[in-house]
């Protein structure tokens, strides 16, 4: 930053082009970061040695500051890991009103941003406005706003693919014959694998957010469906015991087929809706995201299962008629 101090001028006929001062020797603006996390956010107060001030013979003071600051940033993980976070740095002059010290921002140099591999700077802008402070005086405030896009590419092989594969493996429990005795072991193994991956993913989510995470909703819905599949498998095992009645075995087979069609179509449609919403966020707040993500797959799965059952019943009656 730079400003003109008329008290620090000298004739240009001298061979002295500039002088070096510390902040204890000349006047400096009292700048503070208002959304600072630790301490008071005062800029330059403890920078006597490392950050000198260069003064030219015209009285222009140049103060080059390097500030490592930690500010508050309200996270929104609705579309995690395809989320865009907005963070701000708010700087203001807290000792002098705008009629005494006026801050004139020059802009943001986005090229100096270095990506850490997880976040990419999408856009940055600033705005300057007055804020009413002590004694009803107006103080100048500058707000720097940064939009960061999460680099989601490494999440695809480590998160999206395992979740999708395990969710599609869950309905496979209804394809395992009851006679093998591996029905429950298969269901519990897949459910345990999904739980382990889900616990790892929940550790990467921020603990505080203004909205719920669609990924968390998807994982919770999938685990609920997995628990329902285990309950259905217990019902199948109960109905199949003892396994000496051919009519009972046909009933169990029909139940397994219907349950597989319903849950498999539900897992596929729920995953498709989840990925579609992540890649194409819904801007209209009146549209229920949960209704699309959960309501549409459930309704469509019920219709698909009903169509399959009706077709199977007609085919079974046709076979009986042909046999007679």
């Amino acid at each position: 930053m730079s400003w003109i101090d008329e008290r620090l001028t000298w004739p240009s006929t001298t061979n002295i082009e500039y002088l070096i001062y510390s902040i204890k020797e000349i006047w400096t603006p009292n700048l503070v970061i208002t959304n600072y996390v630790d301490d008071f956010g005062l800029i330059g107060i403890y920078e006597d040695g490392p950050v000198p001030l260069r003064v030219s013979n015209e009285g222009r003071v140049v103060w080059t500051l390097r500030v490592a600051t930690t500010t508050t940033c309200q996270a929104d993980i609705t579309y995690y890991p395809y989320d865009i976070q907005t963070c701000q740095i708010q700087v203001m002059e807290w000792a002098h009103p705008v009629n005494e010290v006026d801050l004139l921002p020059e802009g943001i140099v986005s090229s100096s941003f270095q990506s850490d591999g997880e976040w990419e700077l999408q856009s940055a802008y600033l705005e300057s406005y007055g804020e009413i402070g002590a004694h009803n005086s107006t103080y100048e405030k500058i707000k720097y706003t940064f939009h960061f896009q999460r680099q989601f590419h490494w999440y695809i092989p480590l998160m999206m693919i395992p979740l999708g594969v395990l969710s599609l493996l869950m309905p496979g429990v209804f394809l395992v014959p009851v006679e093998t005795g591996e029905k429950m072991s298969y269901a519990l193994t897949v459910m345990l694998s999904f739980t382990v991956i889900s616990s790892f993913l929940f550790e990467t989510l921020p603990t505080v957010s203004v909205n719920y995470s669609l990924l968390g909703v998807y994982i919770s819905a999938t685990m609920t469906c997995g628990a329902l599949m285990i309950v259905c498998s217990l019902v199948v095992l109960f109905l199949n015991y003892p396994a000496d009645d051919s009519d009972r075995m046909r009933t169990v087979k029909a139940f397994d087929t219907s349950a597989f069609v319903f849950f498999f179509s539900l897992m596929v449609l729920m995953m498709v809706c989840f990925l579609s919403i992540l890649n194409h966020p819904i801007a209209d707040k009146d549209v229920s995201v949960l209704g699309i993500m959960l309501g549409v797959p459930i309704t469509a799965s019920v219709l698909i299962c009903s169509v399959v059952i009706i077709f199977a019943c007609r085919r079974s009656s046709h076979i009986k008629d042909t046999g007679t």
Side-chain angles (χ1 to χ4, degrees), residues 145-256:
T145 304
F146 304 90
H147 297 282
F148 296 97
Q149 170 73 54
R150 190 188 300 272
Q151 299 297 315
F152 56 86
H153 303 289
W154 75 276
Y155 288 91
I156 295 177
L158 295 180
M159 181 181 70
M160 309 307 292
I161 293 179
L163 284 179
V165 171
L166 289 175
S167 63
L168 295 180
L169 287 177
M170 285 183 180
V173 64
F174 300 108
L175 299 180
V176 179
V178 179
E179 296 79 10
T180 60
E182 300 294 333
K183 206 173 188 65
M184 290 304 301
S185 60
Y186 176 87
L188 293 176
T189 301
V190 176
M191 188 67 174
L192 179 61
S193 302
F194 190 88
T195 304
V196 171
I197 295 181
S198 301
S199 62
F200 167 74
L201 295 178
F202 278 125
E203 291 179 357
T204 63
L205 289 175
T207 56
V208 179
S209 175
V210 295
N211 294 316
Y212 54 83
S213 172
L214 293 180
L215 176 63
V217 174
Y218 172 75
I219 293 176
S220 300
T222 304
M223 293 183 68
T224 302
C225 292
L228 291 177
M229 294 179 203
I230 294 177
V231 173
C232 292
S233 299
L234 291 174
V235 173
V236 168
L237 293 176
F238 176 78
L239 294 176
N240 192 65
Y241 184 84
D244 55 357
D245 190 346
S246 58
D247 292 334
R248 183 186 291 113
M249 294 181 64
R250 283 195 298 268
T251 302
V252 169
K253 183 68 174 178
F255 183 84
D256 269 345

Side-chain angles (χ1 to χ4, degrees), residues 11-194:
S12 59
T13 56
T14 61
N15 294 327
I16 302 175
E17 297 181 359
Y18 62 87
L19 295 175
I20 301 297
Y21 291 93
S22 68
I23 62 174
K24 293 183 178 180
E25 296 175 325
I26 63 175
W27 177 89
T28 56
N30 300 293
L31 301 180
V32 61
I33 300 176
T34 58
N35 59 337
Y36 199 70
V37 175
D38 302 321
D39 209 343
F40 298 101
L42 301 176
I43 300 177
I45 297 300
Y46 304 104
E47 304 294 343
D48 186 13
V51 185
L53 295 92
R54 180 188 295 262
V55 182
S56 65
N57 61 345
E58 298 175 351
R60 176 170 294 277
V61 183
V62 178
W63 195 16
T64 304
L65 286 172
R66 289 183 177 269
V67 180
T69 180
T70 303
T71 60
T72 58
C73 183
Q74 197 172 33
D76 184 3
I77 58 173
T78 303
Y79 298 102
Y80 177 89
Y82 295 79
D83 53 331
I84 297 176
Q85 301 297 336
T86 301
C87 296
Q88 296 179 344
I89 300 178
Q90 302 175 8
V91 181
M92 71 176 299
E93 165 63 52
W94 63 278
H96 300 278
V98 68
N99 59 344
E100 298 178 0
V101 175
D102 191 10
L103 302 179
L104 302 175
E106 295 182 354
I108 300 176
V109 182
S110 302
S111 59
S112 60
F113 175 78
Q114 295 181 357
S115 177
D116 61 349
E118 183 178 3
W119 296 99
E120 188 69 27
L121 181 62
Q122 190 179 51
S123 63
Y125 61 92
L126 61 86
E127 56 180 327
S128 179
Y129 57 93
E131 184 175 285
I132 303 299
H135 309 291
N136 292 326
S137 299
T138 302
Y139 296 84
E140 190 70 17
K141 189 172 187 179
I142 304 175
K143 182 186 295 184
Y144 298 87
T145 304
F146 304 90
H147 297 282
F148 296 97
Q149 170 73 54
R150 190 188 300 272
Q151 299 297 315
F152 56 86
H153 303 289
W154 75 276
Y155 288 91
I156 295 177
L158 295 180
M159 181 181 70
M160 309 307 292
I161 293 179
L163 284 179
V165 171
L166 289 175
S167 63
L168 295 180
L169 287 177
M170 285 183 180
V173 64
F174 300 108
L175 299 180
V176 179
V178 179
E179 296 79 10
T180 60
E182 300 294 333
K183 206 173 188 65
M184 290 304 301
S185 60
Y186 176 87
L188 293 176
T189 301
V190 176
M191 188 67 174
L192 179 61
S193 302
F194 190 88

